[in-house]
Amino acid sequence: MRKVEVTPYNSEWNVRFEEEASVLRRIFGPELVTVHHIGSTSVEGLQAKPIIDIMPVVKDIEAVDAFNDQMMAIGYEPRGENGIPGRRYFQKGGDNRTHHIHIFQEGDPGVERHLAVRDYLRAKPEARDAYGFLKEELAERYPHDMESYIKGKEQFVLDLEAKALEWYHSIK
């Protein structure tokens, strides 16, 4: 059973991202356009589950499936689209997850959505703090119920995404 653990921000998360991004660059080679650190661990000062979310952007999403064996060799479990059409998702660490990989094709709206939320939380400390407080509260309320933790964040995250995208487009 996965325990819901939300911890204070840790600057080591950036180091762990860089290490893993380097490995992904070697695996995906010329198929890779760029690699982004996303999710809560990418926002300085934000409490988070200590799982590094990484978003590689590739030229052709269909080509990603050919890398499943190489990803498994470094500890990842391929999960296909895992509920999000056009994405390839991998997780590492089983019930004690360490990394989530969300791969999108260049130009997919998922890329912009993830970057908008990350950059919005980086730019808006009040939104970052409200999100962190909610996550801490839900983790305390549902320490052994990941589904309820995720459901408890759902509306906040939907509202956050809408605000973040509007903000992101206004600064472009």
Short mmCIF file of all heavy atoms in Angstrom, two decimals, residues 1 6 10 14 28 31 35 39 41-42 45 50 52 60 67 76 87 102 109 116 126 128 146 169 171:
data_model
loop_
_atom_site.label_atom_id
_atom_site.label_comp_id
_atom_site.label_asym_id
_atom_site.label_seq_id
_atom_site.Cartn_x
_atom_site.Cartn_y
_atom_site.Cartn_z
N MET A 1 0.85 -1.20 0.00
CA MET A 1 0.00 0.00 0.00
C MET A 1 0.88 1.24 0.00
O MET A 1 1.82 1.34 0.78
CB MET A 1 -0.90 0.00 1.23
CG MET A 1 -1.71 1.26 1.39
SD MET A 1 -2.63 1.38 2.92
CE MET A 1 -3.74 0.00 2.74
N VAL A 6 3.73 13.82 2.12
CA VAL A 6 4.02 15.13 1.58
C VAL A 6 5.11 15.72 2.47
O VAL A 6 4.95 15.78 3.69
CB VAL A 6 2.76 16.03 1.56
CG1 VAL A 6 3.11 17.46 1.17
CG2 VAL A 6 1.72 15.46 0.60
N ASN A 10 12.69 20.22 -1.10
CA ASN A 10 14.06 19.76 -0.92
C ASN A 10 14.84 20.10 -2.20
O ASN A 10 14.48 19.63 -3.28
CB ASN A 10 14.05 18.25 -0.67
CG ASN A 10 15.42 17.67 -0.41
OD1 ASN A 10 16.44 18.24 -0.77
ND2 ASN A 10 15.43 16.51 0.21
N ASN A 14 16.00 18.84 -7.51
CA ASN A 14 16.54 19.32 -8.79
C ASN A 14 17.74 18.48 -9.23
O ASN A 14 17.91 18.19 -10.41
CB ASN A 14 16.95 20.79 -8.71
CG ASN A 14 15.75 21.70 -8.74
OD1 ASN A 14 14.76 21.42 -9.40
ND2 ASN A 14 15.82 22.79 -7.99
N PHE A 28 16.87 8.17 -25.24
CA PHE A 28 16.01 8.63 -26.34
C PHE A 28 16.77 9.32 -27.46
O PHE A 28 16.24 9.46 -28.57
CB PHE A 28 14.88 9.50 -25.80
CG PHE A 28 13.85 8.72 -25.05
CD1 PHE A 28 13.89 8.64 -23.67
CD2 PHE A 28 12.86 8.02 -25.71
CE1 PHE A 28 12.96 7.89 -22.96
CE2 PHE A 28 11.92 7.27 -25.02
CZ PHE A 28 11.98 7.20 -23.65
N GLU A 31 15.52 11.31 -30.81
CA GLU A 31 14.06 11.36 -30.76
C GLU A 31 13.59 12.46 -29.79
O GLU A 31 12.49 12.98 -29.88
CB GLU A 31 13.49 9.99 -30.33
CG GLU A 31 11.99 9.91 -30.39
CD GLU A 31 11.41 10.21 -31.76
OE1 GLU A 31 11.97 9.75 -32.78
OE2 GLU A 31 10.40 10.92 -31.83
N VAL A 35 13.73 18.08 -22.24
CA VAL A 35 13.27 17.41 -21.02
C VAL A 35 13.00 18.49 -19.98
O VAL A 35 13.86 19.34 -19.71
CB VAL A 35 14.33 16.43 -20.46
CG1 VAL A 35 13.78 15.72 -19.23
CG2 VAL A 35 14.78 15.43 -21.50
N GLY A 39 5.74 19.23 -12.16
CA GLY A 39 5.14 18.77 -10.91
C GLY A 39 5.65 19.57 -9.72
O GLY A 39 6.45 20.48 -9.84
N THR A 41 7.68 18.93 -7.30
CA THR A 41 9.10 18.94 -6.93
C THR A 41 9.90 19.95 -7.76
O THR A 41 11.05 20.24 -7.44
CB THR A 41 9.74 17.55 -7.08
OG1 THR A 41 9.65 17.12 -8.44
CG2 THR A 41 9.10 16.54 -6.15
N SER A 42 9.29 20.51 -8.80
CA SER A 42 9.97 21.50 -9.65
C SER A 42 9.72 22.94 -9.19
O SER A 42 10.25 23.87 -9.79
CB SER A 42 9.52 21.35 -11.10
OG SER A 42 8.19 21.79 -11.27
N GLY A 45 10.04 25.78 -2.80
CA GLY A 45 9.19 26.19 -1.68
C GLY A 45 7.88 25.43 -1.56
O GLY A 45 7.14 25.64 -0.61
N PRO A 50 7.65 13.19 -2.48
CA PRO A 50 9.03 13.22 -2.98
C PRO A 50 9.24 12.30 -4.19
O PRO A 50 10.08 11.40 -4.19
CB PRO A 50 9.86 12.78 -1.77
CG PRO A 50 8.92 11.93 -0.98
CD PRO A 50 7.55 12.50 -1.19
N ILE A 52 9.90 12.57 -8.32
CA ILE A 52 10.32 13.51 -9.35
C ILE A 52 9.50 13.27 -10.61
O ILE A 52 9.51 12.18 -11.17
CB ILE A 52 11.83 13.34 -9.68
CG1 ILE A 52 12.68 13.35 -8.41
CG2 ILE A 52 12.28 14.39 -10.68
CD1 ILE A 52 12.54 14.57 -7.54
N ASP A 60 8.11 12.10 -32.04
CA ASP A 60 7.03 11.20 -32.45
C ASP A 60 6.63 10.31 -31.27
O ASP A 60 7.41 9.45 -30.86
CB ASP A 60 7.49 10.34 -33.63
CG ASP A 60 6.45 9.33 -34.09
OD1 ASP A 60 5.29 9.37 -33.61
OD2 ASP A 60 6.80 8.48 -34.94
N PHE A 67 11.18 2.09 -26.95
CA PHE A 67 12.17 2.27 -25.89
C PHE A 67 11.77 1.58 -24.58
O PHE A 67 12.46 1.71 -23.57
CB PHE A 67 12.40 3.76 -25.63
CG PHE A 67 13.02 4.49 -26.80
CD1 PHE A 67 12.23 5.11 -27.75
CD2 PHE A 67 14.40 4.53 -26.95
CE1 PHE A 67 12.80 5.78 -28.83
CE2 PHE A 67 14.98 5.20 -28.02
CZ PHE A 67 14.18 5.82 -28.96
N TYR A 76 12.10 1.33 -14.82
CA TYR A 76 10.78 1.91 -15.07
C TYR A 76 9.78 0.87 -15.51
O TYR A 76 10.11 -0.08 -16.23
CB TYR A 76 10.86 3.01 -16.14
CG TYR A 76 11.42 4.29 -15.61
CD1 TYR A 76 12.76 4.59 -15.75
CD2 TYR A 76 10.60 5.20 -14.94
CE1 TYR A 76 13.29 5.77 -15.24
CE2 TYR A 76 11.12 6.38 -14.43
CZ TYR A 76 12.46 6.65 -14.59
OH TYR A 76 12.96 7.81 -14.07
N ARG A 87 -0.09 10.50 -24.48
CA ARG A 87 1.02 10.52 -23.53
C ARG A 87 1.58 9.11 -23.40
O ARG A 87 0.88 8.13 -23.61
CB ARG A 87 0.52 10.99 -22.15
CG ARG A 87 1.57 10.87 -21.05
CD ARG A 87 1.04 11.29 -19.70
NE ARG A 87 0.22 10.24 -19.11
CZ ARG A 87 -0.10 10.18 -17.82
NH1 ARG A 87 0.31 11.12 -17.00
NH2 ARG A 87 -0.86 9.21 -17.37
N HIS A 102 6.39 11.50 -17.87
CA HIS A 102 5.22 11.84 -18.69
C HIS A 102 5.76 12.31 -20.04
O HIS A 102 6.25 13.44 -20.13
CB HIS A 102 4.42 12.98 -18.06
CG HIS A 102 4.14 12.81 -16.60
ND1 HIS A 102 2.94 12.34 -16.13
CD2 HIS A 102 4.91 13.06 -15.50
CE1 HIS A 102 2.97 12.31 -14.80
NE2 HIS A 102 4.16 12.74 -14.41
N PRO A 109 -0.99 19.62 -26.39
CA PRO A 109 -1.44 20.59 -25.37
C PRO A 109 -0.99 20.22 -23.95
O PRO A 109 -0.90 21.09 -23.09
CB PRO A 109 -2.96 20.56 -25.48
CG PRO A 109 -3.28 19.90 -26.77
CD PRO A 109 -2.10 19.07 -27.16
N ALA A 116 2.66 25.57 -17.92
CA ALA A 116 1.88 26.71 -17.40
C ALA A 116 1.69 26.58 -15.90
O ALA A 116 1.89 27.54 -15.15
CB ALA A 116 0.53 26.80 -18.12
N GLU A 126 1.38 32.96 -3.53
CA GLU A 126 0.11 32.72 -2.82
C GLU A 126 -0.56 31.45 -3.34
O GLU A 126 -1.14 30.67 -2.58
CB GLU A 126 -0.82 33.93 -2.90
CG GLU A 126 -1.34 34.29 -4.28
CD GLU A 126 -0.35 35.00 -5.21
OE1 GLU A 126 0.76 35.38 -4.77
OE2 GLU A 126 -0.70 35.19 -6.39
N ARG A 128 1.09 28.91 -4.79
CA ARG A 128 1.98 27.83 -4.35
C ARG A 128 1.68 27.45 -2.90
O ARG A 128 1.53 26.28 -2.56
CB ARG A 128 3.44 28.29 -4.47
CG ARG A 128 4.44 27.26 -3.99
CD ARG A 128 5.79 27.87 -3.67
NE ARG A 128 5.65 28.78 -2.53
CZ ARG A 128 6.43 29.83 -2.32
NH1 ARG A 128 7.39 30.16 -3.15
NH2 ARG A 128 6.25 30.59 -1.25
N MET A 146 -4.46 6.95 -1.12
CA MET A 146 -3.99 7.80 -2.22
C MET A 146 -5.15 8.28 -3.08
O MET A 146 -5.16 9.41 -3.54
CB MET A 146 -2.97 7.03 -3.07
CG MET A 146 -2.30 7.86 -4.14
SD MET A 146 -1.31 9.24 -3.51
CE MET A 146 0.09 8.34 -2.85
N HIS A 169 -0.77 32.34 -21.18
CA HIS A 169 -1.04 32.96 -22.48
C HIS A 169 -0.89 34.48 -22.42
O HIS A 169 -0.51 35.08 -23.42
CB HIS A 169 -2.44 32.57 -22.98
CG HIS A 169 -2.55 31.13 -23.34
ND1 HIS A 169 -3.64 30.36 -23.04
CD2 HIS A 169 -1.69 30.29 -23.98
CE1 HIS A 169 -3.45 29.13 -23.47
NE2 HIS A 169 -2.26 29.06 -24.04
N ILE A 171 1.33 36.12 -20.78
CA ILE A 171 2.74 36.53 -20.74
C ILE A 171 3.50 36.12 -22.00
O ILE A 171 4.68 36.44 -22.15
CB ILE A 171 3.46 36.00 -19.49
CG1 ILE A 171 3.52 34.46 -19.49
CG2 ILE A 171 2.82 36.53 -18.21
CD1 ILE A 171 4.49 33.88 -18.47
#
